[in-house]
Amino acid sequence: MATPDGTGPERRSDAEELRSLSTAYASAADDRDGERFAALFLDSGELVVAVGPGEARPASHHVGHEALRRVPDGLRRYERTFHQVSNHRFAIQGDRAKGEVLCVAHHVLTTTAEGAGEPGLDTVWFIRYLDRYVRTDGGWRFERRSLYLQWVEEHPVSVLPTGAQTERLDPSPGLGSDSHHTRP
């Protein structure tokens, strides 16, 4: 039975899994977890980082798990990052899908070498991802994810000590799962 948005239960389940994939991507990036990040892509998966819509040449292009594992390492120059995903739209056809996902990504640099507890600068990227997905035996994976910057803002911030941030959910029970286990 179709719902008011025209989707049946199968399509809703696929859309929920695709949303979880995007959330897992953001979490792996923020955790600087290259293994988990790469596992979200097909073995031949691609991440294309374009400077802006319509740019002829991408700023970076990463293909395959070996290259994708290194992507989160580029975020280590920041004291912290915080990727918040929203506005998911998908066109699902069998075991393939296309999608558009919006994201606001915060990249915090501190102004001194001491780090936390010091003044900082938050560079905020407003991102539009255009994605191609493939369903595998292990669930949906990115075939290609293209990142397009829409605009960038910068704001001064106070960087707080990490404290409660040391305990996090353990993502290992499943990619994008809604596990409630914490890391020891």
Side-chain angles (χ1 to χ4, degrees):
M1 172 180 213
T3 60
D5 64 1
T7 61
E10 300 83 21
R11 297 272 179 168
R12 281 197 317 270
S13 177
D14 286 338
E16 288 169 9
E17 288 180 33
L18 291 168
R19 277 191 294 278
S20 290
L21 183 65
S22 290
T23 300
Y25 172 97
S27 178
D30 288 339
D31 290 346
R32 315 301 195 271
D33 188 333
E35 290 297 322
R36 192 163 35 114
F37 187 88
L40 301 171
F41 288 81
L42 296 175
D43 290 342
S44 60
E46 298 178 72
L47 174 64
V48 179
V49 180
V51 174
E55 291 291 326
R57 294 180 46 184
S60 64
H61 187 190
H62 312 274
V63 180
H65 280 189
E66 186 175 332
L68 290 164
R69 263 186 219 98
R70 293 189 301 266
V71 170
D73 288 339
L75 298 173
R76 292 189 190 284
R77 68 178 167 255
Y78 300 104
E79 176 73 24
R80 298 199 187 126
T81 60
F82 187 99
H83 291 73
Q84 184 175 13
V85 293
S86 65
N87 297 46
H88 300 79
R89 294 190 316 166
F90 305 107
I92 302 166
Q93 293 185 327
D95 290 340
R96 300 188 70 78
K98 291 183 179 180
E100 177 183 76
V101 177
L102 300 183
C103 175
V104 177
H106 297 266
H107 304 80
V108 176
L109 284 170
T110 54
T111 57
T112 67
E114 286 77 34
E118 299 295 325
L121 181 67
D122 182 7
T123 302
V124 186
W125 291 12
F126 292 82
I127 299 169
R128 179 179 308 277
Y129 291 107
L130 297 180
D131 299 327
R132 291 193 321 237
Y133 313 95
V134 174
R135 185 195 325 261
T136 69
D137 290 340
W140 287 99
R141 297 291 182 265
F142 293 107
E143 176 180 39
R144 180 182 174 103
R145 175 160 252 209
S146 299
L147 180 159
Y148 294 96
L149 283 177
Q150 303 300 291
W151 69 89
V152 176
E153 296 177 353
E154 291 185 337
H155 307 279
V157 293
S158 295
V159 181
L160 303 176
T162 56
Q165 296 177 18
T166 57
E167 185 174 330
R168 298 201 180 188
L169 292 178
D170 181 359
S172 60
L175 299 174
S177 73
D178 292 327
S179 171
H180 296 286
H181 302 285
T182 57
R183 292 183 189 156

